[in-house]
């Protein structure tokens, strides 16, 4: 990266030499009606530098970028104050806040372009990749269809999509999420923009794919010398790519600094809280027990980091899963005969002990949720056993099965969808207790609801409200309260904190640990987030293509990973400490499919015990990359 | 993420205006409906003769031409207002009972078909297809021809032909709802299927049902009138709005009031119910949005 640019830090000190910013935003205010959603925000963007805008949902970070694109009018908002001075090659120096729509259209997509969060939703499903790429080229560069196609081909090579010629003829649904994001990037850089806005470009992607995309973006920056505005809620991701950073909260600017400056000395308490809430992979090195996140209030540390104060007894397992396989059939042809099986889970075995947390990690499609759902009787097993206190679930009569659904409770990923919008939260929370006859009267139910709400840090008087009145974090607490209603021995938390903002995530993880400490609940914690898993788990199982490839204590897995897939997974996690390591961008390594023809059984892994309790699947050298 | 939550916020003046419109909708809807229902319910008090006393001296009197006949009289000198008030009973009974019957039958079949899928779904939906393909008038004529006209038979004919639309709409909602996480959550803590269907799915599928129900009541009032007009409805002795239209047909050129006022009664009832239904749907949506 070139060193021509100076940070705003230096600018403040009034150094004489400084390059001109390509975009200078001053006192920007955007309003919906009379409500400001971006309030007095200023920043400068320089050539070849990356500015990160960080904030939680609703902080106004996306709206600021849409203002630069001139798209806020489209949403019914208006830029009510401030200026956005942009050094355009086509129009000269212009203020984007004053620019009329016709002129904005000239530079939009050509000098300023954007990558969106949801690649699947940003591409039109009825046109081919080639059509959509060529469209941008033909509009802005005025070249013929044939030239555009040749160019599109080169672009796909640039974003490292193999077999670019063939891919051009594909429709969006034929590509994976990672490939689609590459296509979106190709589209965004097709006119060699001066400014590239990336709005949460990797949030929807798996961690190994995320690492590839981040590498790609920084490579392209070196080639194109663009200024990048990188919008994210993830401090760790931002710390890997950004030179400068702007922290936003409640539509206002909280802190603006160079990335190094901010990491070395965060000034605002909000920033400190944000940084402490980011789970750092490797921060638990040498520690044996799960550990609480530190919590800050406005000024001081209110809750220090501390170990979970509870010892797990590894004597009798609470839940044993033995050679569990789950297959979904794929029907084909006129008569709907089964032609293929999706081998969602294959010969999965593990045990959970009372009061411990076992995490299952893996990327999407690894079968980790399937295992959880089968234990909860939400999916049918193909073979295998699940034993709770020694009884096999699949052999029980249905009235005994019901007892399983009392002892084991499930917390889902999406706190917005998991509550019936037409029931008060009190009614939702107590429903499981009614189902299992644990409350007998209205009065008893109300008392229990109050107790449960207080247990998860909400107030008893909230019981009469509807889900829409609560934030995502609060709703997840409500879901946890519901899970607690039957006093379960095991809670399956399926990506339970993935949809939450980081600071809220830390609070909910703390809540999980607190409940374990006080009530001795065991967790099956299903997650793709390695850093959270490192915090919360006693033991960890890594799943890949429906099978467990490695299982052991947290220290064994994170400090001595044996399987190449585990190693790759850990290496892909962005961390604040190891920022700007130039990870070599790999060619797109997609996860292979688990759909197989009938009779084509996958090879079942054999395990080797490395140290006591640390099992690793025998691996072929093919996976080592 | 941010964009989505913030797009929803509309300017204050706009939402205020919308709220005022909604209010107006409610006021007009409830006034019209209450007015007509009141008129029909109180008919025996105001018009003890049931609009059947014949006064040949005052036949085909224009509105306000004769004392005691504010809306005029028909060809036999019977009071139009009295007949509208009395005849409304038939319209309301047919409209309300047939729609309620259809909504109950259709909703239950739709809920179970959508929730369980499989064979049940196939059977119910193929039945629905056959029902849709069968011309209503032909069906009504066949039934009336065999069993003779009566109020109950008309209601049954309507229920049998109209459950289909409810079943289809409910099934559609159920198919979307059954994949939602809160249904999965209810299954996860062992809630029974019947409870899931009636306490989780049904309340969330109510919005379109309510709208369809009010539209359907209005529609069935029209349908009853048409059937009576064609001579397939209630027996000719009983006054009804459709029957009055049919009788007035011959005098449209000379005595427009015979057809206009029952027509107006039908129109206002339908309008009132539609407005009310619209408002009700918005109210139901409020806890969710």
């Amino acid at each position: 990266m070139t060193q021509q640019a100076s940070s705003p830090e230096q600018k403040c000190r009034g150094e004489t030499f400084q390059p001109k910013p390509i975009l200078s935003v001053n006192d920007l205010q955007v309003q919906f009606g009379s409500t400001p959603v971006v309030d007095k925000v200023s920043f400068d963007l320089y050539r070849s530098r990356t500015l990160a805008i960080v904030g939680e949902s609703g902080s106004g970070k996306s709206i600021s970028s849409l203002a630069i694109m001139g798209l806020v009018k489209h949403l019914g908002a208006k830029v009510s104050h401030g200026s956005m001075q942009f050094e355009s090659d086509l129009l000269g120096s212009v203020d984007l806040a004053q620019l009329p729509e016709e002129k904005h259209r000239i530079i939009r997509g050509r000098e300023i372009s954007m990558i969106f969060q949801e690649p699947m939703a940003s591409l039109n499903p009825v046109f081919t990749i080639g059509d959509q790429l060529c469209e941008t080229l033909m509009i802005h560069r005025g070249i013929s269809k044939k030239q555009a196609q040749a160019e599109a081909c080169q672009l796909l090579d640039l974003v490292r999509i193999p077999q670019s010629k063939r891919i051009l003829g594909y429709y969006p649904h034929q590509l994976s999420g990672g490939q689609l994001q590459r296509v979106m990037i190709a589209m965004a850089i097709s006119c060699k923009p001066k400014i590239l806005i990336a709005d949460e470009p990797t949030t929807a992607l798996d961690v190994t794919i995320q690492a590839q995309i981040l590498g790609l973006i920084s490579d392209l920056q070196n080639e194109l010398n663009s200024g990048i505005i990188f919008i994210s809620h993830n401090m760790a991701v931002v710390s890997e790519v950004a030179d400068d950073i702007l922290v936003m909260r409640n539509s206002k600017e909280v802190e603006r600094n160079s990335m190094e400056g901010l990491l070395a000395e965060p000034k605002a308490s909000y920033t400190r809280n944000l940084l402490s809430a980011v789970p750092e992979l490797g921060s638990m090195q040498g520690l044996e027990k799960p550990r609480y996140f530190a919590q800050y209030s406005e000024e001081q540390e209110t809750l220090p980091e501390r170990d979970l104060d509870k010892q797990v007894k590894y004597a009798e397992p609470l839940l044993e899963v033995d050679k569990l396989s789950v297959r979904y059939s794929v029907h084909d042809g006129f008569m709907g005969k089964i032609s293929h099986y999706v081998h969602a889970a294959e010969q999965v075995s593990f045990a959970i002990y009372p009061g411990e947390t076992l995490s299952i990690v893996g990327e999407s499609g690894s079968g980790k949720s399937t295992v959880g759902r089968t234990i909860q009787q939400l999916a049918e097993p193909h073979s295998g056993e699940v034993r709770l206190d020694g009884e096999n679930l699949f052999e029980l009569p249905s009235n005994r099965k019901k007892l399983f659904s009392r002892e084991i409770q499930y917390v889902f990923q999406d706190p917005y969808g998991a509550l019936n919008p037409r029931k008060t939260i009190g009614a939702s929370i107590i429903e499981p207790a009614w189902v299992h006859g644990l409350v007998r009267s209205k009065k008893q139910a109300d008392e229990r609801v109050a107790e449960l709400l207080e247990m998860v840090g909400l107030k008893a008087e909230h019981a009469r409200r509807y889900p829409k009145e609560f934030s995502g974090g609060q709703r997840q607490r409500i879901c946890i309260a519901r899970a607690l209603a039957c006093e379960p021995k095991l809670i399956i938390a399926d990506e339970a904190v993935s949809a939450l903002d980081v600071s809220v995530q830390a609070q909910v993880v703390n809540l999980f640990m607190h409940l374990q400490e006080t009530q001795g609940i065991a967790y099956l914690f299903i997650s793709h987030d390695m850093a959270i898993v490192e915090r919360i788990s006693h033991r960890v199982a890594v799943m890949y293509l429906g099978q467990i490839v490695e299982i052991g204590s947290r220290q064994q897995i994170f400090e001595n990973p044996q399987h190449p897939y585990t190693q790759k997974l850990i290496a892909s996690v962005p961390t604040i400490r190891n920022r700007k390591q130039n990870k070599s961008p790999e060619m797109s390594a997609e996860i292979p499919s688990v759909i197989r023809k009938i009779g084509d059984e996958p090879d079942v892994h054999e395990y080797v015990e490395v140290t006591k309790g640390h099992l690793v699947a025998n691996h072929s050298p093919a996976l080592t990359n | 993420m941010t964009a989505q939550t913030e797009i929803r916020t509309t300017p204050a003046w706009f939402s205020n205006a919308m709220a005022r419109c909604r209010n107006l909708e409610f006021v007009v809807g409830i006034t019209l409906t209450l007015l007509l229902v009141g008129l029909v319910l109180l008919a025996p008090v105001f018009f003890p003769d049931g609009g059947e006393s014949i006064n040949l001296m005052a036949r085909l009197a224009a509105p306000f031409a004769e004392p005691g006949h504010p809306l005029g009289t028909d060809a036999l000198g019977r009071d139009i207002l009295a007949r509208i008030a009395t005849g409304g009973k038939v319209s309301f009974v047919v409209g309300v009972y047939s729609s309620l019957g259809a909504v109950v039958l259709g909703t239950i079949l739709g809920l179970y078909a959508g929730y369980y899928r499989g064979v049940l779904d196939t059977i119910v939906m193929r039945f629905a297809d056959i029902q849709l393909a069968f011309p209503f008038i032909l069906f009504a004529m066949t039934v009336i021809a065999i069993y003779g006209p009566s109020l109950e038979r008309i209601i049954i004919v309507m229920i049998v032909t109209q459950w289909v639309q409810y079943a289809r709409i409910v099934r559609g909602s159920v198919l979307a709802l059954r994949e939602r996480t809160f249904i999965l959550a209810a299954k996860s803590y062992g809630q029974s299927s019947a409870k899931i269907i009636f306490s989780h799915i049904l309340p969330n599928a109510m919005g379109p049902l309510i709208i369809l129900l009010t539209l359907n009541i209005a529609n069935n009032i029209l349908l009853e009138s048409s059937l009576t007009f064609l001579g397939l409805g209630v027996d000719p002795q009983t006054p009804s709005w459709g029957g009055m239209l049919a009788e007035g047909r011959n005098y449209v050129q000379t005595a427009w009031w015979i057809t206009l006022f029952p027509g107006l009664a039908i129109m206002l009832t339908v309008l009132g119910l539609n407005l009310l239904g619209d408002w009700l749907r918005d109210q139901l949506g409020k806890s969710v949005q």
Side-chain angles (χ1 to χ4, degrees):
Chain A
M1 183 162 298
T2 46
Q3 290 300 314
Q4 51 160 320
S6 67
S7 69
E9 182 96 320
Q10 287 164 307
K11 197 180 152 194
C12 294
R13 291 195 205 111
E15 285 192 13
T16 44
F17 170 75
Q18 55 187 43
K20 223 174 157 199
I22 42 176
L23 176 73
S24 177
V25 173
N26 237 315
D27 247 0
L28 178 70
Q29 191 177 38
V30 182
Q31 290 186 327
F32 272 105
S34 55
T35 333
V37 286
V38 174
D39 202 2
K40 299 206 179 76
V41 169
S42 312
F43 57 85
D44 292 331
L45 180 68
Y46 299 86
R47 201 156 253 280
S48 293
R49 282 182 79 85
T50 302
L51 168 83
I53 305 182
V54 183
E56 310 199 333
S57 38
S59 61
K61 54 192 196 302
S62 291
I63 299 290
S64 329
S65 66
L66 289 174
I68 298 165
M69 288 290 278
L71 290 173
V72 285
K73 259 177 249 139
H74 191 72
L75 301 177
K78 64 173 189 296
V79 176
S80 49
H81 185 75
S83 68
M84 296 179 277
Q85 206 63 35
F86 173 54
E87 302 302 323
S88 169
D89 289 337
L90 298 162
L91 305 172
S93 181
V94 289
D95 181 4
L96 297 176
Q98 311 290 337
L99 203 63
E101 171 65 19
E102 320 81 85
K103 292 223 166 137
H104 224 134
R105 224 167 47 217
I106 300 173
I107 53 173
R108 190 189 303 148
R110 190 165 177 181
E111 288 196 285
I112 306 178
S113 62
M114 192 155 176
I115 309 167
F116 295 93
Q117 173 174 2
E118 288 285 344
M120 201 70 205
S122 311
L123 286 164
N124 190 333
V126 301
F127 292 110
T128 61
I129 301 296
D131 286 342
Q132 299 186 54
L133 261 173
C134 291
E135 194 189 0
T136 327
L137 290 168
M138 279 151 60
I139 292 174
H140 286 299
R141 304 258 289 271
I143 53 180
S144 74
K145 177 104 190 176
K146 211 162 178 187
Q147 283 171 304
Q149 261 166 351
E151 186 106 350
C153 216
Q154 283 175 8
L155 280 168
L156 289 190
D157 289 337
L158 197 63
V159 296
R160 302 190 181 79
I161 293 185
Q163 298 175 304
S164 50
K165 265 232 170 67
R166 248 188 46 220
I167 299 278
L168 282 179
Y170 279 15
Y171 289 90
H173 72 269
Q174 292 170 293
L175 301 180
S176 69
Q179 281 177 315
L180 284 174
Q181 197 55 289
R182 285 167 195 271
V183 172
M184 287 305 297
I185 294 173
M187 215 177 261
I189 59 164
S190 60
C191 295
K192 303 198 169 45
K194 291 185 85 167
I195 300 178
L196 183 63
I197 301 172
D199 189 356
E200 304 263 9
T202 58
T203 309
L205 304 176
D206 276 321
V207 59
T208 53
I209 311 293
Q210 164 170 293
Q212 293 165 16
I213 297 286
L214 292 180
L216 176 66
I217 291 178
S218 80
D219 273 15
L220 289 171
Q221 185 176 35
N222 290 343
E223 277 171 50
L224 302 172
N225 288 328
S226 309
I228 294 182
I229 298 179
F230 193 97
I231 297 165
S232 182
H233 67 281
N234 189 330
M235 257 323 200
V237 168
V238 160
S239 74
E240 285 211 348
V241 297
D243 301 295
D244 304 305
I245 181 167
L246 166 72
V247 182
M248 283 183 75
R249 187 195 193 186
N250 296 337
S251 25
K252 289 194 175 61
E253 175 181 321
V254 173
E255 190 162 0
R256 183 158 40 114
N257 206 337
S258 71
M259 196 69 221
E260 284 94 357
L262 184 110
L263 288 179
E265 196 192 345
K267 290 193 194 75
S269 68
Y270 177 69
T271 317
R272 278 205 299 279
N273 214 350
L274 207 58
L275 281 169
S276 83
V278 178
E280 269 281 272
L281 193 67
S283 64
M284 304 273 294
Q285 206 140 13
L287 298 169
E288 187 202 336
K289 287 180 178 168
R291 201 167 163 83
Y292 283 92
F293 283 105
Q295 296 278 303
Y296 296 87
S297 70
E298 279 312 309
E299 283 314 315
Q300 80 276 29
E301 198 177 54
T302 50
L303 211 165
E305 260 188 304
R306 66 179 176 87
D307 279 357
L308 189 71
D309 181 25
K310 183 124 187 164
Q311 201 69 42
V312 181
K313 276 198 218 103
Y314 287 100
E316 278 295 299
L318 172 69
L319 180 94
E320 283 175 284
V321 175
D322 194 12
K323 297 213 168 75
L324 179 70
S325 296
V326 186
R327 295 178 186 176
Y328 300 108
S329 38
V330 179
H331 298 267
D332 203 14
F334 182 66
M335 296 304 284
K337 251 190 356 194
I338 297 171
S339 64
H340 292 74
Y341 280 117
V342 180
H343 293 254
E346 201 61 42
Q347 307 272 344
V348 172
S349 305
F350 58 83
I352 301 175
Y353 294 86
E356 83 158 344
T357 304
L358 172 72
S359 294
I360 302 186
V361 291
E363 297 180 272
S364 42
S366 62
K368 55 192 193 303
S369 289
T370 304
V371 171
R373 284 180 184 207
T374 313
I375 297 171
Q376 192 69 53
Q377 308 173 52
L378 296 170
E380 289 292 319
H382 176 264
S383 63
E385 289 186 6
V386 171
R387 286 189 296 271
L388 181 73
D389 289 333
E391 277 189 296
N392 181 9
L393 165 68
F394 306 131
E395 284 168 0
L396 290 176
S398 59
N399 58 332
R400 299 273 302 141
K401 271 188 181 172
K402 200 174 166 187
L403 198 69
F404 261 69
S405 62
R406 181 178 128 188
E407 305 282 19
I408 307 175
Q409 294 289 323
Y410 209 91
V411 178
F412 293 86
Q413 169 169 10
D414 171 22
Y416 291 89
L419 293 166
N420 188 339
R422 291 191 190 272
K423 279 185 188 282
T424 61
I425 62 149
S428 284
I429 287 174
I430 204 67
E431 193 173 315
W434 283 112
V435 170
H436 295 285
L438 299 175
V439 288
R440 307 212 171 271
S441 67
K442 187 85 185 59
K443 189 164 162 282
Q444 208 185 351
D446 288 344
E447 282 165 11
R448 182 81 177 124
V449 167
E451 200 180 299
L452 288 165
L453 279 171
E454 269 155 29
M455 222 181 265
V456 297
L458 293 170
K459 294 199 184 83
E461 59 260 33
H462 288 160
R464 288 173 184 284
R465 300 204 192 154
Y466 285 92
K468 67 161 183 179
E469 296 169 58
F470 295 92
S471 68
Q474 287 173 319
R475 285 186 210 202
Q476 200 57 294
R477 285 172 190 271
I478 295 165
C479 292
I480 294 169
R482 177 169 67 185
L484 293 172
C486 291
E487 297 177 339
K489 291 180 184 154
L490 172 70
I491 291 180
I492 302 176
D494 188 353
E495 300 275 11
V497 296
S498 309
L500 306 174
D501 279 323
V502 263
S503 60
V504 183
Q505 201 173 43
Q507 290 164 15
V508 174
V509 167
N510 279 354
L511 172 64
F512 271 122
M513 290 198 248
H514 177 71
L515 292 169
Q516 186 164 55
E517 209 170 53
T518 52
Q519 308 190 12
I521 298 170
Y523 296 114
L524 178 62
F525 193 84
I526 299 167
S527 179
H528 70 278
D529 189 331
M530 298 295 279
I532 292 270
V533 163
E534 195 192 17
R535 275 277 168 174
I536 201 172
S537 337
H538 294 88
R539 289 189 306 133
V540 179
V542 182
M543 271 187 89
Y544 179 68
L545 294 180
Q547 302 196 36
I548 290 181
V549 294
E550 188 163 2
I551 184 169
S553 74
R554 195 200 63 235
Q555 275 182 302
Q556 287 166 340
I557 298 289
F558 283 91
E559 290 170 27
N560 185 21
Q562 291 295 312
H563 196 276
Y565 180 69
T566 314
Q567 291 162 357
K568 184 178 160 194
L569 213 54
I570 291 174
S572 306
V573 177
T575 51
I576 293 179
R577 238 177 300 151
N578 310 331
R579 59 180 303 251
K580 286 262 170 181
Q581 282 178 337
N582 266 332
K583 287 178 183 157
S584 58
E586 302 159 55
M587 288 296 277
S588 51
E590 301 289 336
I591 299 178
S593 170
V594 286
I595 304 176
R596 287 165 170 274
K597 278 215 178 86
I598 287 188
D600 177 20
E601 302 274 321
D603 296 332
V604 175
H605 296 319
E606 308 224 342
Y607 296 93
V608 186
E609 187 157 22
V610 186
T611 46
K612 193 177 177 306
H614 187 181
L615 299 176
V616 182
N618 269 334
H619 41 274
S620 59
L623 248 174
T624 320
N625 200 2
Chain B
M1 216 184 310
T2 21
Q4 276 170 13
T5 44
E6 281 154 358
I7 289 169
R8 295 247 169 117
T9 28
T10 40
W13 64 266
F14 185 71
S15 34
N16 284 344
M18 284 304 279
R20 225 166 283 150
C21 273
R22 292 269 169 270
N23 259 332
L24 192 71
E25 215 168 48
F26 172 68
V27 171
V28 174
I30 197 88
T31 316
L32 282 176
T33 312
L34 284 182
L35 214 66
L36 284 147
V37 170
L39 180 71
V40 170
L41 284 180
L42 295 175
V45 183
F46 291 132
F47 312 104
D49 66 337
E52 293 189 28
S53 21
I54 297 168
N55 178 4
L56 290 177
M57 300 299 290
R59 56 191 300 267
L60 295 180
F64 299 108
E66 290 279 331
H69 300 303
L71 300 184
T73 59
D74 67 2
L76 296 173
R78 294 176 295 194
D79 182 45
I80 300 274
L81 182 60
R83 285 183 72 74
I84 286 179
T86 319
K89 191 180 144 207
V90 174
S91 297
F92 278 115
V93 164
V94 171
V96 171
Y97 282 100
S98 62
S99 304
L100 284 180
V103 81
V104 170
L105 183 66
T107 304
I108 292 174
L109 287 174
L111 281 171
Y112 277 92
Y115 187 75
Y116 287 108
R117 311 292 308 273
V119 186
L120 180 71
D121 189 28
T122 316
I123 294 173
V124 170
M125 285 303 122
R126 289 305 78 77
F127 243 104
D129 290 341
I130 294 168
Q131 195 72 72
L132 281 177
F134 207 84
F136 169 75
I137 292 289
L138 186 64
F139 182 60
M141 268 165 63
T142 316
V143 172
I144 304 295
I146 296 172
Y147 299 104
S150 90
L151 208 60
E152 294 80 36
R153 275 167 218 142
I154 290 188
I155 292 172
I156 289 170
V157 166
M158 285 183 178
I159 293 176
V160 169
T161 48
Q162 287 172 352
W163 66 272
V164 178
Q165 39 180 335
Y166 293 104
R168 283 208 165 270
I169 288 215
V170 170
R171 179 177 170 270
S173 311
V174 175
L175 289 186
L177 284 165
R178 72 198 288 273
E179 305 298 331
R180 294 271 291 273
T181 317
F182 66 85
I183 302 298
L184 206 59
K187 279 187 195 164
S188 83
Y189 50 70
Q191 186 57 283
S192 67
S193 297
K195 272 264 182 164
I196 290 178
I197 290 175
F198 288 103
S199 108
H200 285 286
I201 293 185
L202 182 59
N204 283 288
M206 280 301 251
L209 270 188
I210 296 286
I211 272 289
L212 190 63
L213 180 66
T214 53
L215 283 175
N216 199 216
I217 293 177
N219 220 355
N220 284 356
I221 289 176
L222 288 174
L223 201 58
E224 185 275 329
S225 306
S226 318
L227 284 177
T228 312
F229 183 83
L230 291 173
L232 297 172
V234 291
D235 72 283
Q237 311 298 304
T238 328
S240 77
W241 292 348
M244 291 172 74
L245 285 177
E247 288 162 15
R249 184 177 43 161
N250 298 329
Y251 304 95
V252 170
Q253 303 278 323
T254 49
W256 47 267
W257 54 90
I258 304 180
T259 39
L260 179 77
F261 292 113
L264 215 55
I266 294 171
M267 196 200 92
L268 292 178
T269 312
V270 174
L271 181 67
L273 285 171
N274 283 354
L275 288 176
L276 213 56
D278 241 17
W279 173 83
L280 202 59
R281 187 213 32 202
D282 291 336
Q283 295 307 305
L284 283 175
K286 268 189 183 161
S287 72
V288 184
Q289 282 155 15

